Amino acid sequence: MAGLGKFLVRRGLTFIPTLIGVTFIVFIIAYVIPANPVRAWAGGEKATQSAVELIKAEYHLNQPWYDQYLFLIKGLFTNSLLDPLNQVPVFTNIGNRFIVTFQLALFAFFFVVLIGLPLGIISALKRNSITDMVLRILALIFISTPIYVMAYLFIWVFFIHWNLTTLAGIPPAPHHQITHIPVIDSIITLNWGNFAEQVRRFWLPGFTLGIAAAGVLMRFTRNSFLEAYSRDSTLFLKAKGVPKGRLYRHVLKNALVPVITILALQFGGLLAGTPITETIFNLPGIGLYALQSVMYLDFPALIGVTFLYAIVFVTANLVADILYALVDPRVRF
Amino acid sequence: MGDGTKEPKESYEEREEYEMSILDRISDKLIDGLAVFINLFKKDWRRRNQSKIQEWKLMAYALNRSPPALLGLVIVVVYIFFGIVGPYLASWPYDFFPVMYNSTSKLAPPGTNVFLNVTMVKNWHVIHYTTTVHYSIGSDLFGRDLLSVLLAGARTALVLDVFIIMIGPTFGIMLGLIAGYHGGAVDETIMRITDMFLAFPGLILAIALSAVLPGRIQNFLNYHAFAQTLVLKLFALQPRDVNNLGKLLAVFVALIIVWWPGYTRITRGSTLTERENLYVEAARAIGLPSRTIMFKHILPNIIGPILVMITMDFGGVILTEAGLSFLGLGAVPPIPDWGNLINQGAQYFPQAWWLVAFPGIVIVTVVLGWNLLGDGLRDILDPRTRRSMEFKVKKKGAAGGESNA
């Protein structure tokens, strides 16, 4: 396992320049802000010049760029960057909303695995048959359909016609908070009433968000399975006369190794893909917060959210890399 | 090929026999035509690249034998056709708002006719006329005929699509080649910068950028009249929409910034393995400049998977662009845009279902087309699967076997 330790250190070291780079890009985004938001924050056209100057000074907007950069980075890391709309630190605002986004991604991930894995395996087992063709076309349709079209189709079917979900508000979290993710807490504390409420509110957005990723996973699983099937080891097992069921179990084991690592990447992708879903289903998560901050020219919030997304995404990539190194020693080189 | 033996100089070549369908003959004609066309500009190109032309023909045969890829190709061709001529086919101009003359034209359901009593100022003259608008698939918030807006929106989608793919991936591929070929400090610098951009989820970076860029771009356009006219011509827009271009182009710039790093990473990876080959070393030994080796020797050998990725990304750009304008970030009315139509329909869903359904169907079809074509290309460009397809194509008992080509 010496190789693994070395790999982790090296992988961790490349993490640092990326993080610094991320702060630079975030800063550039903040720097090209048009000049008028200050007036908007101060209260629109009627704002006095002194109020505008005060806000400019507060956000260091009248300082040279390196000072602005340091102010921004300090603000991001110490959570002292205030959201000009409600004067609350940006990451405090984000904290509560991130729970909603995380729960949404969790539901989506559940559907990704539930749909993508079995259908991908079936498609590979029945390769080049009618079933396979239908499943492959289905996967392609999942991938090609924009989330906003899929969402309205589902809302029409499941909300307007069958009324199987709710679209307003979010259910309260259970009393005992352990992980702070409501749906997990309600399972741990055996609070089934709350669990049902959470599921009723979140299953449709999760399903919608997950369906495209499920299509990707179906294709990936199928290819991975066929790749594992065409290896020499499979030929050997066949020659040895191993029955089909056991043969497939061996192949499946080999095929699922890359699939597990892609799942970590997909979870990062699901977390990042929430803005459209949250807008349509009216969920107060960080994606919606980002969009609202765009609408209200609330750039500190936008920068905070963008930074958080980058951190989450980079971490997901890191986890995927580590998982891959754990299951496949060859990549540690 | 086949019966069309007009070039006597080709006849010394060993001929392979194929079962030809009508599609094969058409594709042969097209490729021969292309070769003649290139021959006009590059002397002797056709004679010297006979094997290349042959290979292209074989690729076309493989394509002709894959129905999904053909379907994708047809969809893509139709999309490009409507992207070019769509604005001129539209029966109503995109900036004519019937709702100003008759309020019942707002969100008119499919199949309705609305009578308009129009009073408008044109060339400093007040003109009156009456007309009837037939909404075959409904109207939008401004009473515009949905079909006309969809047709006009094809131009917006195509121009954004083509230019984003032309600029973003090209830039990414170039950087990837340089990083992979030179290695060392150059590689490290380029890849660290690429990693920074890859750290952001595409949609989020695009949202952030298209939120902050419009002001700057609008300023730039207001000071550069030529750029302004060029953009208006490209998108087939009227001069009065010039103040809406900032938001549209912000999406354009944002998506270019989002779209290059993936290509850099992929190109660098395949360049790293490709440059170890003997032919690269030989090219270096005879003193060819690195530029030539990179772009003329290495690039053609690694371009296959990248082409597949580009094809699929044509669909990806449409999805993302429409997603951004669905969120209200990209094109704003009156600029015709598919995503924006869905945004309008979403506010009145499910009453105005046609505003979600028809643009939705259009987007799904186009994206599906690109994806099908990309899937087909993957099989065709991969020499192993292509050879296996060619075996099926060959006539039984043909002389020569699968020797060259």
Side-chain angles (χ1 to χ4, degrees), chain A residues 21-22 32 140 144 148-149 152 160 219 272 291 299 306 309-310 313-314, chain B residues 196 199-201 204 212 319 322-323 327 346 349-350 360 368 371-372 375:
Chain A
V22 164
V32 296
L140 214 54
S144 308
Y148 34 90
V149 174
Y152 286 107
I160 295 172
R219 287 161 64 109
L291 288 172
F299 289 105
T306 315
Y309 265 123
F313 206 56
V314 172
Chain B
M196 290 172 198
F200 290 94
I204 301 298
V212 297
L319 274 186
L327 293 172
F349 190 79
L368 195 68
N371 280 339
L372 285 172
D375 261 8

PDB file of all heavy atoms in Angstrom, chain A residues 21-22 32 140 144 148-149 152 160 219 272 291 299 306 309-310 313-314, chain B residues 196 199-201 204 212 319 322-323 327 346 349-350 360 368 371-372 375:
ATOM      1  N   GLY A  21      -6.113  28.521  -8.379  1.00  0.00           N
ATOM      2  CA  GLY A  21      -6.603  28.946  -9.690  1.00  0.00           C
ATOM      3  C   GLY A  21      -8.083  29.257  -9.661  1.00  0.00           C
ATOM      4  O   GLY A  21      -8.542  30.230 -10.256  1.00  0.00           O
ATOM      5  N   VAL A  22      -8.830  28.425  -8.930  1.00  0.00           N
ATOM      6  CA  VAL A  22     -10.268  28.644  -8.825  1.00  0.00           C
ATOM      7  C   VAL A  22     -10.550  30.018  -8.223  1.00  0.00           C
ATOM      8  O   VAL A  22     -11.389  30.774  -8.717  1.00  0.00           O
ATOM      9  CB  VAL A  22     -10.913  27.527  -7.982  1.00  0.00           C
ATOM     10  CG1 VAL A  22     -12.298  27.929  -7.541  1.00  0.00           C
ATOM     11  CG2 VAL A  22     -10.972  26.244  -8.773  1.00  0.00           C
ATOM     12  N   VAL A  32     -15.022  41.683 -13.514  1.00  0.00           N
ATOM     13  CA  VAL A  32     -15.663  42.210 -14.718  1.00  0.00           C
ATOM     14  C   VAL A  32     -17.108  42.627 -14.464  1.00  0.00           C
ATOM     15  O   VAL A  32     -17.819  42.998 -15.372  1.00  0.00           O
ATOM     16  CB  VAL A  32     -15.638  41.199 -15.895  1.00  0.00           C
ATOM     17  CG1 VAL A  32     -14.244  40.910 -16.344  1.00  0.00           C
ATOM     18  CG2 VAL A  32     -16.371  39.942 -15.532  1.00  0.00           C
ATOM     19  N   LEU A 140     -30.374   6.980 -25.179  1.00  0.00           N
ATOM     20  CA  LEU A 140     -30.046   8.132 -26.016  1.00  0.00           C
ATOM     21  C   LEU A 140     -31.088   9.229 -25.854  1.00  0.00           C
ATOM     22  O   LEU A 140     -30.771  10.420 -25.834  1.00  0.00           O
ATOM     23  CB  LEU A 140     -29.965   7.680 -27.484  1.00  0.00           C
ATOM     24  CG  LEU A 140     -28.936   8.405 -28.330  1.00  0.00           C
ATOM     25  CD1 LEU A 140     -27.572   8.341 -27.679  1.00  0.00           C
ATOM     26  CD2 LEU A 140     -28.895   7.833 -29.717  1.00  0.00           C
ATOM     27  N   SER A 144     -30.579  13.003 -24.582  1.00  0.00           N
ATOM     28  CA  SER A 144     -30.831  14.115 -25.499  1.00  0.00           C
ATOM     29  C   SER A 144     -31.943  15.040 -25.035  1.00  0.00           C
ATOM     30  O   SER A 144     -32.083  16.131 -25.571  1.00  0.00           O
ATOM     31  CB  SER A 144     -31.196  13.586 -26.881  1.00  0.00           C
ATOM     32  OG  SER A 144     -30.249  12.660 -27.320  1.00  0.00           O
ATOM     33  N   TYR A 148     -35.451  20.651 -18.765  1.00  0.00           N
ATOM     34  CA  TYR A 148     -36.642  21.489 -18.594  1.00  0.00           C
ATOM     35  C   TYR A 148     -37.825  20.951 -19.386  1.00  0.00           C
ATOM     36  O   TYR A 148     -38.967  21.204 -19.034  1.00  0.00           O
ATOM     37  CB  TYR A 148     -36.349  22.940 -18.967  1.00  0.00           C
ATOM     38  CG  TYR A 148     -35.367  23.113 -20.087  1.00  0.00           C
ATOM     39  CD1 TYR A 148     -35.782  23.183 -21.396  1.00  0.00           C
ATOM     40  CD2 TYR A 148     -34.013  23.164 -19.827  1.00  0.00           C
ATOM     41  CE1 TYR A 148     -34.872  23.317 -22.421  1.00  0.00           C
ATOM     42  CE2 TYR A 148     -33.099  23.286 -20.833  1.00  0.00           C
ATOM     43  CZ  TYR A 148     -33.535  23.367 -22.135  1.00  0.00           C
ATOM     44  OH  TYR A 148     -32.630  23.471 -23.155  1.00  0.00           O
ATOM     45  N   VAL A 149     -37.551  20.226 -20.458  1.00  0.00           N
ATOM     46  CA  VAL A 149     -38.655  19.616 -21.201  1.00  0.00           C
ATOM     47  C   VAL A 149     -39.175  18.387 -20.447  1.00  0.00           C
ATOM     48  O   VAL A 149     -40.376  18.208 -20.232  1.00  0.00           O
ATOM     49  CB  VAL A 149     -38.195  19.229 -22.618  1.00  0.00           C
ATOM     50  CG1 VAL A 149     -39.284  18.474 -23.340  1.00  0.00           C
ATOM     51  CG2 VAL A 149     -37.804  20.456 -23.393  1.00  0.00           C
ATOM     52  N   TYR A 152     -41.309  19.371 -17.341  1.00  0.00           N
ATOM     53  CA  TYR A 152     -42.699  19.768 -17.552  1.00  0.00           C
ATOM     54  C   TYR A 152     -43.551  18.587 -17.987  1.00  0.00           C
ATOM     55  O   TYR A 152     -44.724  18.508 -17.637  1.00  0.00           O
ATOM     56  CB  TYR A 152     -42.784  20.933 -18.539  1.00  0.00           C
ATOM     57  CG  TYR A 152     -42.344  22.206 -17.881  1.00  0.00           C
ATOM     58  CD1 TYR A 152     -41.125  22.792 -18.173  1.00  0.00           C
ATOM     59  CD2 TYR A 152     -43.128  22.773 -16.887  1.00  0.00           C
ATOM     60  CE1 TYR A 152     -40.706  23.924 -17.522  1.00  0.00           C
ATOM     61  CE2 TYR A 152     -42.718  23.909 -16.222  1.00  0.00           C
ATOM     62  CZ  TYR A 152     -41.514  24.474 -16.549  1.00  0.00           C
ATOM     63  OH  TYR A 152     -41.095  25.580 -15.873  1.00  0.00           O
ATOM     64  N   ILE A 160     -50.155  17.127 -12.278  1.00  0.00           N
ATOM     65  CA  ILE A 160     -51.470  17.612 -12.709  1.00  0.00           C
ATOM     66  C   ILE A 160     -52.451  16.457 -12.874  1.00  0.00           C
ATOM     67  O   ILE A 160     -53.606  16.548 -12.468  1.00  0.00           O
ATOM     68  CB  ILE A 160     -51.315  18.410 -14.018  1.00  0.00           C
ATOM     69  CG1 ILE A 160     -50.483  19.660 -13.725  1.00  0.00           C
ATOM     70  CG2 ILE A 160     -52.672  18.788 -14.589  1.00  0.00           C
ATOM     71  CD1 ILE A 160     -50.093  20.440 -14.923  1.00  0.00           C
ATOM     72  N   ARG A 219     -25.300   3.557 -20.718  1.00  0.00           N
ATOM     73  CA  ARG A 219     -24.348   3.345 -21.812  1.00  0.00           C
ATOM     74  C   ARG A 219     -22.992   2.932 -21.284  1.00  0.00           C
ATOM     75  O   ARG A 219     -22.338   2.047 -21.845  1.00  0.00           O
ATOM     76  CB  ARG A 219     -24.222   4.630 -22.643  1.00  0.00           C
ATOM     77  CG  ARG A 219     -25.408   4.895 -23.496  1.00  0.00           C
ATOM     78  CD  ARG A 219     -25.455   6.333 -23.909  1.00  0.00           C
ATOM     79  NE  ARG A 219     -24.335   6.695 -24.743  1.00  0.00           N
ATOM     80  CZ  ARG A 219     -24.432   6.958 -26.033  1.00  0.00           C
ATOM     81  NH1 ARG A 219     -25.592   6.890 -26.628  1.00  0.00           N
ATOM     82  NH2 ARG A 219     -23.385   7.300 -26.724  1.00  0.00           N
ATOM     83  N   ALA A 272     -23.968  19.687  -9.306  1.00  0.00           N
ATOM     84  CA  ALA A 272     -23.732  20.875 -10.114  1.00  0.00           C
ATOM     85  C   ALA A 272     -24.885  21.153 -11.063  1.00  0.00           C
ATOM     86  O   ALA A 272     -25.053  22.266 -11.530  1.00  0.00           O
ATOM     87  CB  ALA A 272     -22.452  20.712 -10.924  1.00  0.00           C
ATOM     88  N   LEU A 291     -29.082  31.722  -9.169  1.00  0.00           N
ATOM     89  CA  LEU A 291     -29.880  32.403 -10.189  1.00  0.00           C
ATOM     90  C   LEU A 291     -30.512  33.673  -9.649  1.00  0.00           C
ATOM     91  O   LEU A 291     -30.568  34.692 -10.328  1.00  0.00           O
ATOM     92  CB  LEU A 291     -30.964  31.459 -10.714  1.00  0.00           C
ATOM     93  CG  LEU A 291     -30.402  30.351 -11.579  1.00  0.00           C
ATOM     94  CD1 LEU A 291     -31.462  29.341 -11.910  1.00  0.00           C
ATOM     95  CD2 LEU A 291     -29.846  30.947 -12.847  1.00  0.00           C
ATOM     96  N   PHE A 299     -23.700  40.138  -6.555  1.00  0.00           N
ATOM     97  CA  PHE A 299     -22.523  39.409  -7.001  1.00  0.00           C
ATOM     98  C   PHE A 299     -21.714  38.714  -5.904  1.00  0.00           C
ATOM     99  O   PHE A 299     -21.169  37.648  -6.155  1.00  0.00           O
ATOM    100  CB  PHE A 299     -21.643  40.303  -7.871  1.00  0.00           C
ATOM    101  CG  PHE A 299     -22.279  40.553  -9.191  1.00  0.00           C
ATOM    102  CD1 PHE A 299     -22.866  41.770  -9.485  1.00  0.00           C
ATOM    103  CD2 PHE A 299     -22.369  39.543 -10.126  1.00  0.00           C
ATOM    104  CE1 PHE A 299     -23.499  41.970 -10.688  1.00  0.00           C
ATOM    105  CE2 PHE A 299     -22.995  39.744 -11.329  1.00  0.00           C
ATOM    106  CZ  PHE A 299     -23.567  40.960 -11.615  1.00  0.00           C
ATOM    107  N   THR A 306     -20.482  30.118  -6.790  1.00  0.00           N
ATOM    108  CA  THR A 306     -19.585  29.575  -7.809  1.00  0.00           C
ATOM    109  C   THR A 306     -18.378  28.908  -7.165  1.00  0.00           C
ATOM    110  O   THR A 306     -17.973  27.809  -7.550  1.00  0.00           O
ATOM    111  CB  THR A 306     -19.109  30.711  -8.739  1.00  0.00           C
ATOM    112  OG1 THR A 306     -20.226  31.502  -9.087  1.00  0.00           O
ATOM    113  CG2 THR A 306     -18.476  30.160  -9.976  1.00  0.00           C
ATOM    114  N   TYR A 309     -19.442  25.615  -5.573  1.00  0.00           N
ATOM    115  CA  TYR A 309     -19.640  24.591  -6.602  1.00  0.00           C
ATOM    116  C   TYR A 309     -18.296  24.026  -7.053  1.00  0.00           C
ATOM    117  O   TYR A 309     -18.144  22.811  -7.224  1.00  0.00           O
ATOM    118  CB  TYR A 309     -20.363  25.194  -7.804  1.00  0.00           C
ATOM    119  CG  TYR A 309     -21.849  25.009  -7.778  1.00  0.00           C
ATOM    120  CD1 TYR A 309     -22.702  26.092  -7.834  1.00  0.00           C
ATOM    121  CD2 TYR A 309     -22.402  23.746  -7.718  1.00  0.00           C
ATOM    122  CE1 TYR A 309     -24.068  25.934  -7.825  1.00  0.00           C
ATOM    123  CE2 TYR A 309     -23.765  23.574  -7.713  1.00  0.00           C
ATOM    124  CZ  TYR A 309     -24.605  24.666  -7.763  1.00  0.00           C
ATOM    125  OH  TYR A 309     -25.947  24.489  -7.755  1.00  0.00           O
ATOM    126  N   ALA A 310     -17.325  24.937  -7.277  1.00  0.00           N
ATOM    127  CA  ALA A 310     -16.012  24.473  -7.734  1.00  0.00           C
ATOM    128  C   ALA A 310     -15.389  23.543  -6.702  1.00  0.00           C
ATOM    129  O   ALA A 310     -14.846  22.494  -7.043  1.00  0.00           O
ATOM    130  CB  ALA A 310     -15.104  25.667  -8.011  1.00  0.00           C
ATOM    131  N   PHE A 313     -17.153  20.199  -6.747  1.00  0.00           N
ATOM    132  CA  PHE A 313     -16.853  19.477  -7.983  1.00  0.00           C
ATOM    133  C   PHE A 313     -15.442  18.902  -7.947  1.00  0.00           C
ATOM    134  O   PHE A 313     -15.217  17.737  -8.292  1.00  0.00           O
ATOM    135  CB  PHE A 313     -17.008  20.458  -9.141  1.00  0.00           C
ATOM    136  CG  PHE A 313     -17.346  19.816 -10.443  1.00  0.00           C
ATOM    137  CD1 PHE A 313     -18.456  19.000 -10.563  1.00  0.00           C
ATOM    138  CD2 PHE A 313     -16.566  20.044 -11.559  1.00  0.00           C
ATOM    139  CE1 PHE A 313     -18.770  18.421 -11.769  1.00  0.00           C
ATOM    140  CE2 PHE A 313     -16.876  19.471 -12.768  1.00  0.00           C
ATOM    141  CZ  PHE A 313     -17.980  18.658 -12.867  1.00  0.00           C
ATOM    142  N   VAL A 314     -14.487  19.727  -7.508  1.00  0.00           N
ATOM    143  CA  VAL A 314     -13.097  19.270  -7.434  1.00  0.00           C
ATOM    144  C   VAL A 314     -12.986  18.123  -6.441  1.00  0.00           C
ATOM    145  O   VAL A 314     -12.281  17.140  -6.677  1.00  0.00           O
ATOM    146  CB  VAL A 314     -12.170  20.437  -7.037  1.00  0.00           C
ATOM    147  CG1 VAL A 314     -10.777  19.945  -6.757  1.00  0.00           C
ATOM    148  CG2 VAL A 314     -12.136  21.467  -8.129  1.00  0.00           C
TER     149      VAL A 314
ATOM    150  N   MET B 196      -7.851  24.411 -13.636  1.00  0.00           N
ATOM    151  CA  MET B 196      -8.616  25.472 -12.977  1.00  0.00           C
ATOM    152  C   MET B 196      -9.990  25.618 -13.616  1.00  0.00           C
ATOM    153  O   MET B 196     -10.995  25.756 -12.922  1.00  0.00           O
ATOM    154  CB  MET B 196      -7.890  26.814 -13.134  1.00  0.00           C
ATOM    155  CG  MET B 196      -6.625  26.953 -12.365  1.00  0.00           C
ATOM    156  SD  MET B 196      -5.850  28.484 -12.878  1.00  0.00           S
ATOM    157  CE  MET B 196      -4.198  28.194 -12.288  1.00  0.00           C
ATOM    158  N   ALA B 199     -12.318  22.772 -12.989  1.00  0.00           N
ATOM    159  CA  ALA B 199     -12.806  22.662 -11.619  1.00  0.00           C
ATOM    160  C   ALA B 199     -14.232  23.156 -11.503  1.00  0.00           C
ATOM    161  O   ALA B 199     -14.951  22.768 -10.589  1.00  0.00           O
ATOM    162  CB  ALA B 199     -11.900  23.458 -10.685  1.00  0.00           C
ATOM    163  N   PHE B 200     -14.648  24.023 -12.430  1.00  0.00           N
ATOM    164  CA  PHE B 200     -16.007  24.550 -12.359  1.00  0.00           C
ATOM    165  C   PHE B 200     -16.953  23.657 -13.140  1.00  0.00           C
ATOM    166  O   PHE B 200     -16.647  23.270 -14.262  1.00  0.00           O
ATOM    167  CB  PHE B 200     -16.068  25.943 -12.954  1.00  0.00           C
ATOM    168  CG  PHE B 200     -15.372  26.966 -12.132  1.00  0.00           C
ATOM    169  CD1 PHE B 200     -14.055  27.292 -12.389  1.00  0.00           C
ATOM    170  CD2 PHE B 200     -16.017  27.594 -11.091  1.00  0.00           C
ATOM    171  CE1 PHE B 200     -13.402  28.235 -11.629  1.00  0.00           C
ATOM    172  CE2 PHE B 200     -15.373  28.542 -10.333  1.00  0.00           C
ATOM    173  CZ  PHE B 200     -14.059  28.858 -10.593  1.00  0.00           C
ATOM    174  N   PRO B 201     -18.123  23.350 -12.574  1.00  0.00           N
ATOM    175  CA  PRO B 201     -19.130  22.683 -13.376  1.00  0.00           C
ATOM    176  C   PRO B 201     -19.524  23.610 -14.528  1.00  0.00           C
ATOM    177  O   PRO B 201     -19.684  24.819 -14.302  1.00  0.00           O
ATOM    178  CB  PRO B 201     -20.302  22.500 -12.419  1.00  0.00           C
ATOM    179  CG  PRO B 201     -19.768  22.765 -11.056  1.00  0.00           C
ATOM    180  CD  PRO B 201     -18.576  23.623 -11.206  1.00  0.00           C
ATOM    181  N   ILE B 204     -22.563  26.029 -14.181  1.00  0.00           N
ATOM    182  CA  ILE B 204     -22.403  27.080 -13.178  1.00  0.00           C
ATOM    183  C   ILE B 204     -21.500  28.186 -13.703  1.00  0.00           C
ATOM    184  O   ILE B 204     -21.815  29.378 -13.587  1.00  0.00           O
ATOM    185  CB  ILE B 204     -21.791  26.488 -11.891  1.00  0.00           C
ATOM    186  CG1 ILE B 204     -22.684  25.386 -11.335  1.00  0.00           C
ATOM    187  CG2 ILE B 204     -21.580  27.564 -10.855  1.00  0.00           C
ATOM    188  CD1 ILE B 204     -24.042  25.843 -10.949  1.00  0.00           C
ATOM    189  N   VAL B 212     -22.242  38.254 -15.780  1.00  0.00           N
ATOM    190  CA  VAL B 212     -21.393  39.437 -15.636  1.00  0.00           C
ATOM    191  C   VAL B 212     -20.900  40.005 -16.966  1.00  0.00           C
ATOM    192  O   VAL B 212     -20.482  41.155 -17.028  1.00  0.00           O
ATOM    193  CB  VAL B 212     -20.166  39.143 -14.735  1.00  0.00           C
ATOM    194  CG1 VAL B 212     -20.621  38.783 -13.338  1.00  0.00           C
ATOM    195  CG2 VAL B 212     -19.303  38.056 -15.311  1.00  0.00           C
ATOM    196  N   LEU B 319     -28.176  22.120 -26.080  1.00  0.00           N
ATOM    197  CA  LEU B 319     -28.822  21.870 -24.789  1.00  0.00           C
ATOM    198  C   LEU B 319     -28.466  22.956 -23.779  1.00  0.00           C
ATOM    199  O   LEU B 319     -29.348  23.509 -23.115  1.00  0.00           O
ATOM    200  CB  LEU B 319     -28.357  20.524 -24.218  1.00  0.00           C
ATOM    201  CG  LEU B 319     -29.078  19.269 -24.644  1.00  0.00           C
ATOM    202  CD1 LEU B 319     -28.562  18.095 -23.844  1.00  0.00           C
ATOM    203  CD2 LEU B 319     -30.561  19.423 -24.408  1.00  0.00           C
ATOM    204  N   ALA B 322     -29.821  26.496 -24.807  1.00  0.00           N
ATOM    205  CA  ALA B 322     -31.260  26.598 -24.568  1.00  0.00           C
ATOM    206  C   ALA B 322     -31.550  26.599 -23.074  1.00  0.00           C
ATOM    207  O   ALA B 322     -32.464  27.289 -22.608  1.00  0.00           O
ATOM    208  CB  ALA B 322     -31.991  25.446 -25.253  1.00  0.00           C
ATOM    209  N   GLY B 323     -30.751  25.855 -22.302  1.00  0.00           N
ATOM    210  CA  GLY B 323     -30.924  25.836 -20.851  1.00  0.00           C
ATOM    211  C   GLY B 323     -30.677  27.205 -20.244  1.00  0.00           C
ATOM    212  O   GLY B 323     -31.438  27.672 -19.394  1.00  0.00           O
ATOM    213  N   LEU B 327     -33.321  29.791 -18.429  1.00  0.00           N
ATOM    214  CA  LEU B 327     -33.152  30.442 -17.130  1.00  0.00           C
ATOM    215  C   LEU B 327     -33.211  31.963 -17.247  1.00  0.00           C
ATOM    216  O   LEU B 327     -33.072  32.670 -16.258  1.00  0.00           O
ATOM    217  CB  LEU B 327     -31.816  30.034 -16.510  1.00  0.00           C
ATOM    218  CG  LEU B 327     -31.711  28.572 -16.111  1.00  0.00           C
ATOM    219  CD1 LEU B 327     -30.298  28.236 -15.693  1.00  0.00           C
ATOM    220  CD2 LEU B 327     -32.672  28.262 -14.982  1.00  0.00           C
ATOM    221  N   ALA B 346     -43.268  28.130 -19.730  1.00  0.00           N
ATOM    222  CA  ALA B 346     -43.208  27.598 -18.374  1.00  0.00           C
ATOM    223  C   ALA B 346     -44.043  28.439 -17.414  1.00  0.00           C
ATOM    224  O   ALA B 346     -44.624  27.922 -16.462  1.00  0.00           O
ATOM    225  CB  ALA B 346     -41.753  27.550 -17.907  1.00  0.00           C
ATOM    226  N   PHE B 349     -47.669  27.237 -17.815  1.00  0.00           N
ATOM    227  CA  PHE B 349     -47.863  25.803 -17.946  1.00  0.00           C
ATOM    228  C   PHE B 349     -48.930  25.362 -16.948  1.00  0.00           C
ATOM    229  O   PHE B 349     -48.936  25.830 -15.822  1.00  0.00           O
ATOM    230  CB  PHE B 349     -46.530  25.082 -17.669  1.00  0.00           C
ATOM    231  CG  PHE B 349     -46.543  23.646 -18.007  1.00  0.00           C
ATOM    232  CD1 PHE B 349     -46.397  23.226 -19.314  1.00  0.00           C
ATOM    233  CD2 PHE B 349     -46.733  22.699 -17.023  1.00  0.00           C
ATOM    234  CE1 PHE B 349     -46.418  21.892 -19.636  1.00  0.00           C
ATOM    235  CE2 PHE B 349     -46.767  21.369 -17.341  1.00  0.00           C
ATOM    236  CZ  PHE B 349     -46.615  20.956 -18.649  1.00  0.00           C
ATOM    237  N   PRO B 350     -49.865  24.469 -17.258  1.00  0.00           N
ATOM    238  CA  PRO B 350     -50.009  23.754 -18.525  1.00  0.00           C
ATOM    239  C   PRO B 350     -50.964  24.400 -19.529  1.00  0.00           C
ATOM    240  O   PRO B 350     -51.242  23.784 -20.546  1.00  0.00           O
ATOM    241  CB  PRO B 350     -50.578  22.425 -18.067  1.00  0.00           C
ATOM    242  CG  PRO B 350     -51.423  22.775 -16.892  1.00  0.00           C
ATOM    243  CD  PRO B 350     -50.770  23.949 -16.236  1.00  0.00           C
ATOM    244  N   GLY B 360     -39.644  22.040 -27.304  1.00  0.00           N
ATOM    245  CA  GLY B 360     -39.023  20.882 -26.664  1.00  0.00           C
ATOM    246  C   GLY B 360     -38.766  19.775 -27.663  1.00  0.00           C
ATOM    247  O   GLY B 360     -37.676  19.211 -27.717  1.00  0.00           O
ATOM    248  N   LEU B 368     -30.805  14.720 -30.454  1.00  0.00           N
ATOM    249  CA  LEU B 368     -30.783  13.286 -30.741  1.00  0.00           C
ATOM    250  C   LEU B 368     -30.056  13.023 -32.053  1.00  0.00           C
ATOM    251  O   LEU B 368     -29.268  12.081 -32.167  1.00  0.00           O
ATOM    252  CB  LEU B 368     -32.221  12.758 -30.799  1.00  0.00           C
ATOM    253  CG  LEU B 368     -32.392  11.255 -30.740  1.00  0.00           C
ATOM    254  CD1 LEU B 368     -31.993  10.742 -29.376  1.00  0.00           C
ATOM    255  CD2 LEU B 368     -33.833  10.871 -31.024  1.00  0.00           C
ATOM    256  N   ASN B 371     -26.398  13.239 -31.549  1.00  0.00           N
ATOM    257  CA  ASN B 371     -25.905  12.103 -30.773  1.00  0.00           C
ATOM    258  C   ASN B 371     -25.880  10.823 -31.599  1.00  0.00           C
ATOM    259  O   ASN B 371     -24.935  10.037 -31.509  1.00  0.00           O
ATOM    260  CB  ASN B 371     -26.769  11.889 -29.529  1.00  0.00           C
ATOM    261  CG  ASN B 371     -26.399  12.852 -28.418  1.00  0.00           C
ATOM    262  OD1 ASN B 371     -25.304  13.387 -28.406  1.00  0.00           O
ATOM    263  ND2 ASN B 371     -27.314  13.075 -27.511  1.00  0.00           N
ATOM    264  N   LEU B 372     -26.930  10.604 -32.407  1.00  0.00           N
ATOM    265  CA  LEU B 372     -26.950   9.419 -33.270  1.00  0.00           C
ATOM    266  C   LEU B 372     -25.786   9.460 -34.248  1.00  0.00           C
ATOM    267  O   LEU B 372     -25.092   8.462 -34.462  1.00  0.00           O
ATOM    268  CB  LEU B 372     -28.271   9.355 -34.038  1.00  0.00           C
ATOM    269  CG  LEU B 372     -29.502   8.922 -33.263  1.00  0.00           C
ATOM    270  CD1 LEU B 372     -30.746   9.105 -34.102  1.00  0.00           C
ATOM    271  CD2 LEU B 372     -29.374   7.474 -32.836  1.00  0.00           C
ATOM    272  N   ASP B 375     -22.585   8.699 -32.430  1.00  0.00           N
ATOM    273  CA  ASP B 375     -22.472   7.259 -32.154  1.00  0.00           C
ATOM    274  C   ASP B 375     -22.040   6.501 -33.398  1.00  0.00           C
ATOM    275  O   ASP B 375     -21.186   5.615 -33.346  1.00  0.00           O
ATOM    276  CB  ASP B 375     -23.827   6.718 -31.683  1.00  0.00           C
ATOM    277  CG  ASP B 375     -23.876   6.596 -30.186  1.00  0.00           C
ATOM    278  OD1 ASP B 375     -22.922   7.067 -29.539  1.00  0.00           O
ATOM    279  OD2 ASP B 375     -24.846   6.033 -29.663  1.00  0.00           O
TER     280      ASP B 375
END
